[in-house]
Amino acid sequence: MTVPTAGPVVKNVTRRKAKAQIENLSGLLDRICSLVDCDSVPAESVTTIRVRQIVDTIGRRAYGPLLLALGLFSISPLTAIPGMTWASAAFTLLIALQLTFGLDRPWLPRGLLEAQISAGGLVKAVDALRPTARFVDRLLRPRLDFLARLPFVILIGLMCCAAALVTFPLGFVPFLPIVPGLAIVLFGLGLVARDGLLLLLGAAGVIGAMLLAHDAIESLIPMIQNLLARFQG
């Protein structure tokens, strides 16, 4: 049975002209809903859309919205699918490395762009985030905006790399990957709104995630040693 790909519920955005810059979390959710008709697609829909369509809708040249979308994905119910947490971390690491090295346009692998996700699941995630988005957007404003410019953007890229890397060991422990995911959300919001306070909070979140990863690795090492001892015995 062939799973239907995005058809009438997905609007053709790839041929549109560039849209206005995303300035907050609600703006990102609205941009996603310009791709998927959030009012008519049921949560149980089996229709799928390609990652390429989402990225084109958000804007490939904008690191902030991309990081924000990745962070939201990493803390959404979609990561309950086995392997999605690590896939999200790998994608985040790829984007963060390019931000660190100052690439104007992020490079994205074709295989990832052609991956498909459930339109119904995406709509469900957007609807769940709406109340939080309205609350968060009231708090956003430009402050300490020098932190969202060079050379500090390089440090933000490095912190995002760290958040992505610690997600791999944390992925073995339920719910812990939410911590680096929230840090990525804060970095994305901070870059989008040029809010340096959020960038600082994101850095604090990464430090907390690193401490959690250290504890997780320490607890995993004896388990791995015991498994190896059983196989050798």
Side-chain angles (χ1 to χ4, degrees), residues 45-215:
S45 172
V46 295
T47 303
T48 62
I49 61 175
R50 300 185 187 279
V51 172
R52 179 188 300 277
Q53 295 171 278
I54 298 174
V55 172
D56 286 343
T57 301
I58 294 172
R60 289 199 190 186
R61 293 183 181 275
Y63 281 99
L66 276 176
L67 288 172
L68 177 55
L70 283 168
L72 292 173
F73 178 84
S74 68
I75 62 175
S76 74
L78 293 172
T79 52
I81 302 173
M84 280 298 178
T85 294
W86 293 301
S88 175
F91 195 2
T92 301
L93 180 61
L94 175 65
I95 298 300
L97 283 172
Q98 295 177 73
L99 175 62
T100 302
F101 287 103
L103 272 68
D104 292 332
R105 180 188 179 97
W107 174 84
L108 302 169
R110 182 176 180 181
L112 177 61
L113 291 173
E114 296 304 319
Q116 299 180 9
I117 64 174
S118 164
L122 187 62
V123 170
K124 185 177 180 180
V126 168
D127 289 341
L129 285 168
R130 283 290 186 187
T132 302
R134 288 191 289 268
F135 173 76
V136 170
D137 290 344
R138 288 197 294 267
L139 304 177
L140 292 177
R141 62 178 181 273
R143 51 192 164 188
L144 302 175
D145 58 347
F146 65 91
L147 294 175
R149 298 193 296 265
L150 289 172
F152 297 99
V153 170
I154 297 174
L155 296 177
I156 294 168
L158 290 173
M159 296 294 283
C160 289
C161 289
L165 289 173
V166 300
T167 301
F168 290 101
L170 290 179
F172 290 100
V173 184
F175 304 113
L176 286 188
I178 291 177
V179 178
L182 286 173
I184 295 297
V185 169
L186 290 171
F187 284 131
L189 278 173
L191 289 174
V192 165
R194 296 195 173 278
D195 191 333
L197 179 59
L198 291 185
L199 297 176
L200 292 175
L201 291 175
V206 172
I207 294 173
M210 293 173 68
L211 294 174
L212 288 173
H214 177 268
D215 293 339

Side-chain angles (χ1 to χ4, degrees), residues 21-65:
Q21 184 178 354
I22 296 173
E23 297 181 348
N24 53 32
L25 182 51
S26 293
L28 176 65
L29 299 181
D30 290 340
R31 187 68 60 85
I32 292 174
C33 279
S34 73
L35 173 66
V36 180
D37 192 348
C38 295
D39 294 328
S40 62
V41 178
E44 63 274 11
S45 172
V46 295
T47 303
T48 62
I49 61 175
R50 300 185 187 279
V51 172
R52 179 188 300 277
Q53 295 171 278
I54 298 174
V55 172
D56 286 343
T57 301
I58 294 172
R60 289 199 190 186
R61 293 183 181 275
Y63 281 99

